């Protein structure tokens, strides 16, 4: 255990000469600009190879593929994931408001592109419910069920169901291409860092709201009722109103089918979760019930006998590529950008989970490029926007998938279904898909449990979660996401603008200084106040910084300075008139009436440094003054600012900081600043922060160094300081000082209790 005895008195770490020739040193370290430019433009074979491996990750991992060890695991994983992908493609197409068969396109093309360009070994590219719902919202807005009822449709008015479906496919595909263009552009511009602006709280609040909207969107298939498509603010409430206004028209057969499917799938999923360590492969209950439901529906002709709404015709093969619609581009630029951000954020979050688990790296910018090209190709072949699914990726990883070879095998299975056997799923009731979708949202809906945890741990994160959820429910997913990002940025501003400043003190027997209120056995040296700033100092928080610094010091230096200058003028007048009298005890509750006269003096004069040259005697401002003149006591002689956590200071912050420091210096308080980064110190020099009052000798490496220096400067033995102080929770509350003016001895008053933070 160390103590103050073991440290020598420290000296300032910066001086005027330390940084005087930095500019010349930097010039000597670097070559000329022309040479540097030539070096940048030179492309060696190694650099070309590195660039190629960056843009085509498959070239680095495929040659190292362990065929004998991994192929069987990837094969099993790929087949299992492919079956799930087929089912989810059909189901999530309902969310995108397009024919179910087109969901198979979204389960195929993104996987193929990601195989060559992706950096994650375990995620499964393809449809994701939140992204599909965001696409479906735009599709419903541009191509409503009854075009005449919605003026914002950009498509040709028609009551033909087939034509409406074709128009919706064009809209969904065009959105997919535009989404891919945004993602590709961000990847090429190296702005993959944009995902950092979507915190976990924001994403969870947003996805939970999306899960609620998904459930509402599937209720029409569960109850078997026909309702118009709604989009925009309050669309979820309009949908609920329309559904429950037709509740008496419920198709009992579809409701029974949906309930049976949900109960069975939920029960088996719980069994999978409980015994997942004992099962080599989870029971693929969704696939099993889908096959059984399709067979039963075909055998008993549910579509004719019970008017059950089925998947319908699934086109065989792939249609030729198409050009996207420029009209759709113009109508949904903002929506496509939101979809691009959400799709990438979800995919990157899932990829990061598996990268950490299996100890490999992923590249955010390359992921943007991979998903961008995936969506461009998928949209060109009439698919809708893709991301990745946590459940599908979990299947791929948990069933033993080692690389993206499992992904390409799953895409092959989707290809087989599309080309050959997709027609077998045509009798499948849509209520089966709706029930499977709703049950699979269990994980998202359980995120409501995070709210009380966040409330206890971080109020700001809880606020972001709740407000993002509410905004997404009320305004729609696209506007809700924008509101959530805005709220998150506002919370960042509040965190930085109103940081938790602290008064620091020494932990017994160490050179460690911590917040006074967090420790019992802690003390301060006499006359020293240590103030810690935990954030940058800039235009938005400089006033808050000054208020907290004044509160920590226990007095306002400007107020004290003005009072001292007023008192000095009184003393000068009394001395000239010969009326200056020494007293033994001041009446602190009285004041001289002449103070009224001096209160009208110009403030500029009262703010000047105190000049006692005109008086033939010295003044101790912390002692009782003659003739009942009252001046606030200043009970500290040194103020130490811990700037170890200050990352930057802007010009407004610098100006405000310099002003408040000068005010303390004018009332004879010595200022010391510790822990300043060398880059920040250089900025202070460039901005001419230093002058005759504020100089580089005020800067120290650590708080402890500054404390030792202060103790020596004030004639205190650092080795004995700790023995003199037993507790400092109420510093100076019982301490008295003795002093004299012209030989008269007076007692001092107690200082107010310590300001708490």
């Amino acid at each position: 255990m160390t103590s103050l005895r073991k440290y020598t008195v420290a000296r300032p770490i910066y001086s005027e000469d330390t940084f005087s020739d930095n500019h010349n040193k930097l010039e000597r370290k670097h070559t000329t600009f022309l040479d540097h430019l030539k070096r940048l433009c030179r492309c060696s074979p190694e650099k070309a190879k590195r660039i190629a491996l960056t843009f085509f990750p498959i070239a680095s991992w495929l040659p190292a593929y362990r065929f004998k060890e991994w192929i069987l695991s990837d094969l099993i994983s790929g087949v299992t994931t492919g079956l799930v992908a087929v089912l989810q493609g059909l189901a999530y197409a309902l969310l995108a408001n397009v024919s179910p068969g087109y969901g198979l396109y979204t389960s195929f093309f993104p996987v193929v592109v990601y195989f060559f360009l992706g950096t994650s070994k375990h995620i499964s590219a393809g449809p994701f419910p939140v992204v599909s719902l965001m696409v479906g919202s735009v599709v419903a807005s541009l191509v409503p069920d009854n075009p005449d009822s919605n003026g914002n449709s950009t498509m040709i008015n028609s009551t033909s169901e087939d034509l409406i479906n074709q128009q919706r496919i064009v809209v969904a595909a065009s959105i997919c291409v535009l989404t891919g263009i945004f993602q590709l552009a961000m990847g090429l511009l190296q702005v993959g860092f944009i995902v950092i602006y979507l915190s976990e709280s924001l994403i969870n609040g947003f996805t939970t709201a999306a899960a609620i909207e998904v459930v509402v969107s599937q209720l029409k298939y569960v109850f078997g009722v026909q309702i118009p498509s709604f989009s925009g603010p309050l669309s979820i409430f309009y949908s609920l109103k329309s559904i429950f206004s037709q509740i008496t028209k419920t198709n009992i057969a579809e409701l029974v089918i949906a309930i049976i499917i949900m109960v069975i799938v939920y029960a088996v999923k719980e069994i999978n979760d409980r015994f997942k360590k004992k099962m080599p492969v989870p029971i693929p209950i969704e696939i099993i019930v889908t096959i059984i439901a399709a067979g039963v529906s075909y055998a008993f002709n549910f579509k004719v006998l019970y008017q059950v709404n089925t998947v319908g015709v699934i086109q065989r093969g792939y249609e030729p590529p198409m050009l996207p619609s420029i009209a759709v581009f113009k109508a949904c630029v903002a929506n496509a950008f939101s979809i691009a951000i959400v799709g990438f954020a979800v995919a990157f979050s899932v990829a990061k989970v598996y990268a950490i688990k299996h100890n490999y790296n992923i590249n955010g910018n390359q992921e943007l490029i991979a998903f961008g090209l995936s969506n461009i190709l998928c949209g060109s072949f009439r698919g809708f926007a893709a991301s990745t699914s946590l459940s599908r990726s979990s299947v791929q990883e948990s069933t033993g998938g080692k690389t993206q070879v499992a992904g390409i095998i799953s895409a092959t299975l989707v290809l087989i279904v599309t080309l050959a056997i997709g027609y077998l799923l045509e009798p499948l009731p849509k209520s089966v898909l709706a029930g499977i979708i709703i049950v699979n949202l269990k994980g998202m809906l359980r995120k409501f449990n995070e709210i009380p945890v966040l409330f206890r741990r971080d109020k700001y994160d809880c606020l972001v979660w709740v407000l993002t959820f509410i905004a997404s429910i009320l305004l729609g997913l696209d506007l809700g996401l924008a509101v959530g990002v805005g709220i998150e940025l506002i919370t960042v501003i509040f965190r930085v603008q109103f940081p938790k400043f602290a008064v620091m003190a020494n932990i017994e027997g160490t050179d460690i200084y911590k917040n006074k209120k967090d420790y019992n056995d802690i003390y301060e040296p006499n006359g020293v106040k240590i103030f810690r700033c935990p954030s940058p100092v800039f235009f938005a928080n400089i006033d808050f910084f000054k208020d907290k610094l004044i509160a920590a010091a226990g007095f306002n230096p400007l107020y004290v300075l003005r009072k001292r200058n007023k008192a000095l003028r009184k003393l000068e007048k009394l001395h000239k008139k010969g009326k200056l009298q020494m007293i033994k005890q001041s009446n602190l509750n009285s004041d001289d009436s002449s103070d009224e006269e001096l209160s009208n003096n110009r403030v500029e004069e009262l703010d000047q440094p105190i000049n006692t040259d005109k008086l033939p005697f010295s003044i101790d401002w912390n002692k009782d003054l003659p003739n009942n003149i009252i001046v606030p006591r200043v009970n500290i002689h040194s103020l130490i600012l811990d700037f170890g956590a200050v990352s930057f200071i802007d010009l407004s912050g610098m100006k405000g900081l310099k002003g408040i420091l000068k005010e303390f210096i004018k009332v004879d308080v010595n200022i010391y600043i510790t822990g300043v980064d060398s880059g920040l110190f250089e900025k202070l020099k460039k901005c001419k922060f230093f002058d005759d009052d504020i100089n580089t000798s005020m800067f120290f490496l650590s708080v402890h160094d500054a404390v030792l220096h202060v103790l020596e400067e004030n004639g205190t033995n650092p080795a004995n300081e700790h023995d003199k102080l037993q507790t400092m929770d109420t510093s100076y509350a019982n301490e008295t000082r003795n002093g004299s003016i012209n030989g008269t001895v007076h007692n001092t008053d107690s200082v107010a209790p310590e300001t708490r933070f």
Side-chain angles (χ1 to χ4, degrees), residues 284-301:
I285 185 61
E286 293 97 335
I287 300 170
I288 295 173
V289 297
T290 299
I291 295 173
I292 294 174
V296 172
S297 175
Y298 175 77
F300 292 95
N301 201 7

Side-chain angles (χ1 to χ4, degrees), residues 176-334:
C176 183
V177 172
L178 186 56
T179 298
I181 292 173
F182 279 129
Q183 291 175 332
L184 179 61
M186 288 188 290
L188 294 176
L189 294 174
Q190 304 288 293
V191 292
F193 65 86
I194 196 171
V195 74
I196 67 175
Y197 294 104
L198 302 179
S199 68
E200 184 178 353
S201 299
L202 183 147
I203 292 175
N204 289 342
F206 175 79
T207 54
T208 305
I212 298 293
E213 293 209 22
V214 169
V215 171
V216 172
S217 70
Q218 297 306 294
L219 290 180
K220 63 181 180 180
Y221 300 113
V222 172
F223 291 104
V225 295
Q226 297 292 327
I227 66 169
S229 298
F230 297 96
S231 61
L234 302 179
S235 59
I236 186 173
F237 298 100
Y238 294 138
S239 297
L240 288 172
K241 178 182 178 181
S242 180
I243 290 170
F244 287 106
S245 65
Q246 302 183 56
I247 198 70
T248 55
K249 301 178 182 179
T250 298
N251 187 316
I252 302 301
E254 294 200 67
L255 178 61
V256 171
I257 291 172
I259 293 175
I260 292 174
I261 293 297
M262 285 190 285
V263 171
I264 293 175
V265 173
Y266 181 83
V268 176
K269 277 186 169 291
E270 288 295 317
I271 294 174
N272 286 339
D273 291 339
R274 181 168 299 184
F275 301 102
K276 60 182 177 180
K277 294 183 179 180
K278 299 180 180 180
M279 291 182 178
V281 178
I283 301 173
I285 185 61
E286 293 97 335
I287 300 170
I288 295 173
V289 297
T290 299
I291 295 173
I292 294 174
V296 172
S297 175
Y298 175 77
F300 292 95
N301 201 7
F302 281 180
K303 184 176 182 179
V304 175
L305 293 180
Y306 303 107
Q307 290 75 48
V308 170
N309 192 11
T310 61
V311 168
V313 178
I314 296 179
Q315 60 279 3
R316 293 190 183 184
Y318 294 95
E319 300 180 28
M322 54 167 266
L323 290 175
S325 169
I326 302 301
V328 175
F329 276 14
K330 294 179 181 179
C332 61
V333 172

